[in-house]
Amino acid sequence: MNSRERFQAVLAGEIPDMVPVIPVVDGFFAPGLTGRPSDECWQDNDCLAGALALALERFGMDGVVAEMGLGPAPEVLGCPVQIEGNEVPLVTDRLVETRADLEKITVPDPWSGGKMEPVERLVALAGGDSVILGAVRSPFEYAATVRGLLDFMGDFYRDPELVRDLIAACLPATLAVGRALAEAGVDAVVVKDSFASTSMISPDHYREFAYPAEREAVAGLEGIPVILHVCRNSLPILPLMAATGAAVLEIDSPVDLRQAREAAGDAVVLKGNIDAVSVIEKGTAADVDAAVSAAIDAARGGKFILSTGDSVPLSAPEENLAALVASGRRYGKYQGGDA
Amino acid sequence: MALLEDFRQAVIAGDADGAAGIAAGIASEGKASADEVIASLSAAMEEVGGKYETGEYFIPEMLRSAAAVERALQVLDPYLFERRQEYAGVVVMGTVRGDIHNIGKDIIISALRASGYEVHDLGVNVSADKFVARVKEVDADLLLLSAFTTSTRQALVDVLSALEAAGLRDRVKVVSGGAAHSEELAQEVGVDAFASDVKGTLAICRELLGGKHLPGSGGETGC
């Protein structure tokens, strides 16, 4: 099996030859492989696509996460953005101060200004055998971005109607970017809903605000598999995350994989959940090996993709990423239906 | 006193109208002393922080309580002004040069303000000179430096050097914090303390200000 066949077998509920290894290698880590500063690479479509292709080649992983030029979140929403040094582009000011500003949120054209070029180039470079995922922010995360995170979360009690209206106004952005990624040829769309984490909001608020938008996003992206990512703790909301219809749930490191499987049910694929910071960035190759062994052991029974829980940081040692893949291959071979 | 207990509960529940109403009664009728009011607010916010730590409260609930405190303080300001000047520390905070992350900083500032501190928020990507100028201008007790990215070590060193050059280093305690920092780095660059989260920051502020903590709290609240 090649990497894409392996990935597609997992999505189809089949047991592949081995556990696919698709860490969250995206625009945070990959530019470092080029030797150029991240801010330069982010503004050079060839560099961004080339960096991710280089990651695939150097580490032999099954897939990477493609990035739109300048990143999907800021660019599509018209928020002011700062790109500096080795940081991914960051929104520096909010778009929505009051309800009247809702009209400033517009449906973006993801194809404008060549922003989809890095994705198309990566698909052309490496999409034959490798898995190319494309990342988009959820309506909930876009809403937090345009409103400012703390004001957004303050609105949960102060003005819940504004929260709902903000999220509704941002849904078209998620769908437009997600559909463009699919059109550009990615194998699946990662809907990142970082702030929907129960490390930040209660399960009740997740159910009230984030979950309905996730469902709508997944439904609106029909025809392309969706990987739903929530940062940090997601255990209390995994049953609802599974009910969104997402094909894969990306689980971060604080969640126990066995408990995750129990909570999410047997139908959905789980992707995770090696700690990107304490293990991959700051640990040793031996730490990586132990974490991978434990994760694969916890995820027996298939429907599993070995991954980091979140984006691999720029300063992660290359040997740890190599160890992640090597250990994934070592422990991840399916024999008689079990890895 | 039932009134103060109601006040405390209103803040914990994030009932801004309730807290402001009780505050108005206190201010107009002098039903509680300034010390009692401040202690009640501090105890309430400590309990809110505890609920956050144990997973009962989340960020929206913290913000709701902080908003209740803010509303109450708007009403109580004239009544408490002298006391607050006497007891609350003056804090200058910002994200250091080269770093434009503001979420962690904003959460800390909300918590500090909710606890009765006078906080001067310098925003993000703040130069060493700007930190020093504001510390001098407001005679700050504490300088809190937020740093999320890994490339900010030099920025911390620059702030400390600038404080030294301005003759202010002995007059202000410096605390660094943020995802990119560690106890080791804090010691290496020479800040007075390091904090990794909201609760830790509050505890360190309290410790660094020593006797300047808010009254009536048994030393457990105040920053």
Side-chain angles (χ1 to χ4, degrees):
Chain A
M1 277 183 167
N2 68 23
S3 294
R4 287 186 78 208
E5 291 165 345
R6 194 169 291 135
F7 176 68
Q8 283 160 1
V10 172
L11 292 192
E14 298 162 5
I15 298 291
D17 57 341
M18 61 182 82
V19 172
V21 182
I22 311 179
V24 188
V25 167
D26 54 20
F28 278 93
F29 173 79
L33 299 174
T34 67
R36 293 174 63 186
S38 294
D39 54 346
E40 270 184 40
C41 202
W42 271 93
Q43 295 173 82
D44 177 340
N45 290 342
D46 281 333
C47 183
L48 198 51
L52 289 159
L54 189 58
L56 282 167
E57 184 186 328
R58 187 167 297 178
F59 303 110
M61 59 192 75
D62 289 306
V64 289
V65 184
E67 299 272 9
M68 285 171 63
L70 294 179
E75 202 40 17
V76 297
L77 293 164
C79 291
V81 174
Q82 182 171 327
I83 309 172
E84 193 169 291
N86 280 326
E87 284 297 300
V88 293
L90 193 71
V91 173
T92 55
D93 201 5
R94 61 185 178 170
L95 204 63
V96 177
E97 291 267 354
T98 68
R99 170 172 287 279
D101 295 328
L102 280 172
E103 65 186 31
K104 292 182 184 171
I105 302 171
T106 53
V107 181
D109 175 8
W111 295 96
S112 67
K115 288 193 293 290
M116 205 54 71
E117 280 179 19
V119 182
E120 290 182 302
R121 289 184 196 181
L122 180 62
V123 169
L125 277 171
D129 294 335
S130 298
V131 178
I132 310 297
L133 308 177
V136 60
R137 271 60 179 174
S138 70
F140 184 85
E141 186 165 331
Y142 274 144
T145 303
V146 297
R147 176 77 174 115
L149 181 64
L150 291 187
D151 279 321
F152 179 66
M153 291 192 170
D155 290 337
F156 284 16
Y157 288 106
R158 192 169 46 222
D159 191 352
E161 204 52 44
L162 177 60
V163 176
R164 278 186 279 273
D165 291 344
L166 272 166
I167 292 169
C170 290
L171 176 64
T174 299
L175 295 181
V177 175
R179 288 168 182 159
L181 288 166
E183 202 176 325
V186 301
D187 295 288
V189 170
V190 185
V191 174
K192 297 178 86 95
D193 211 353
S194 309
F195 306 139
S197 165
T198 51
S199 296
M200 298 187 85
I201 66 171
S202 69
D204 287 344
H205 277 143
Y206 171 81
R207 177 190 293 271
E208 183 178 358
F209 298 122
Y211 167 66
E214 288 172 355
R215 278 192 68 145
E216 286 194 70
V218 173
L221 295 173
E222 191 182 0
I224 181 89
V226 169
I227 298 172
L228 179 59
H229 169 89
V230 168
C231 285
R232 309 307 294 163
N233 187 26
S234 60
L235 186 60
I237 57 174
L238 277 172
L240 281 177
M241 286 173 66
T244 60
V248 181
L249 303 183
E250 196 166 80
I251 309 294
D252 205 349
S253 53
V255 179
D256 178 87
L257 276 176
R258 285 188 182 85
Q259 290 183 315
R261 173 56 73 198
E262 202 170 308
D266 293 332
V268 73
V269 174
L270 299 183
K271 180 176 185 285
N273 70 338
I274 308 301
D275 193 314
V277 175
S278 72
V279 176
I280 300 295
E281 184 187 26
K282 296 182 175 166
T284 62
D287 295 332
V288 175
D289 184 71
V292 168
S293 171
I296 289 178
D297 187 51
R300 281 177 182 280
K303 292 190 177 169
F304 179 61
I305 298 166
L306 180 66
S307 171
T308 49
D310 208 340
S311 296
V312 175
L314 177 68
S315 53
E318 289 190 30
E319 56 265 32
N320 283 357
L321 216 43
L324 176 75
V325 178
S327 300
R329 300 302 189 216
R330 184 178 314 128
Y331 302 116
K333 287 190 174 62
Y334 282 102
Q335 292 164 342
D338 246 344
Chain B
M1 185 192 296
L3 183 71
L4 288 174
E5 176 57 19
D6 290 347
F7 191 44
R8 193 178 72 89
Q9 291 298 340
V11 170
I12 292 168
D15 176 4
D17 290 342
I22 296 169
I26 291 171
S28 64
E29 298 170 33
K31 288 179 179 170
S33 71
D35 282 2
E36 288 170 330
V37 170
I38 293 170
S40 178
L41 281 177
S42 301
M45 283 313 290
E46 185 179 2
E47 189 162 340
V48 169
K51 286 175 181 286
Y52 177 73
E53 288 297 316
T54 58
E56 185 180 344
Y57 273 16
F58 300 84
I59 289 175
E61 288 74 28
M62 293 254 295
L63 294 170
R64 183 181 58 171
S65 289
V69 170
E70 198 176 332
R71 281 276 304 282
L73 287 176
Q74 282 169 3
V75 174
L76 287 165
D77 250 355
Y79 185 70
L80 299 178
F81 182 73
E82 287 186 9
R83 281 292 181 190
R84 291 185 65 198
Q85 287 296 308
E86 181 180 345
Y87 288 110
V90 177
V91 177
V92 169
M93 185 170 188
T95 306
V96 297
R97 170 70 87 192
D99 195 336
I100 50 178
H101 292 84
N102 61 5
I103 294 171
K105 172 183 71 64
D106 289 351
I107 293 172
I108 297 283
I109 284 176
S110 289
L112 288 169
R113 284 185 173 149
S115 298
Y117 267 70
E118 179 184 318
V119 185
H120 298 264
D121 178 7
L122 298 188
V124 299
N125 194 23
V126 180
S127 69
D129 288 346
K130 195 170 172 185
F131 276 120
V132 169
R134 187 61 69 91
V135 164
K136 190 172 182 181
E137 179 191 337
V138 301
D139 192 19
D141 300 302
L142 287 166
L143 174 60
L144 270 54
L145 303 173
S146 179
F148 187 87
T149 60
T150 50
S151 53
T152 48
R153 181 189 178 282
Q154 188 57 44
L156 288 175
V157 171
D158 290 346
V159 173
L160 292 167
S161 301
L163 284 172
E164 195 78 52
L168 295 172
R169 184 62 187 93
D170 295 336
R171 288 169 50 188
V172 63
K173 299 290 186 187
V174 182
V175 182
S176 69
H181 283 265
S182 63
E183 188 75 51
E184 294 73 31
L185 180 62
Q187 286 178 6
E188 187 189 327
V189 299
V191 299
D192 296 299
F194 160 79
S196 59
D197 56 21
V198 176
K199 195 171 183 183
T201 304
L202 298 184
I204 285 197
C205 289
R206 180 177 68 233
E207 186 184 323
L208 288 175
L209 289 192
K212 232 177 171 183
H213 64 75
L214 300 178
S217 62
E220 293 302 315
T221 60
C223 179

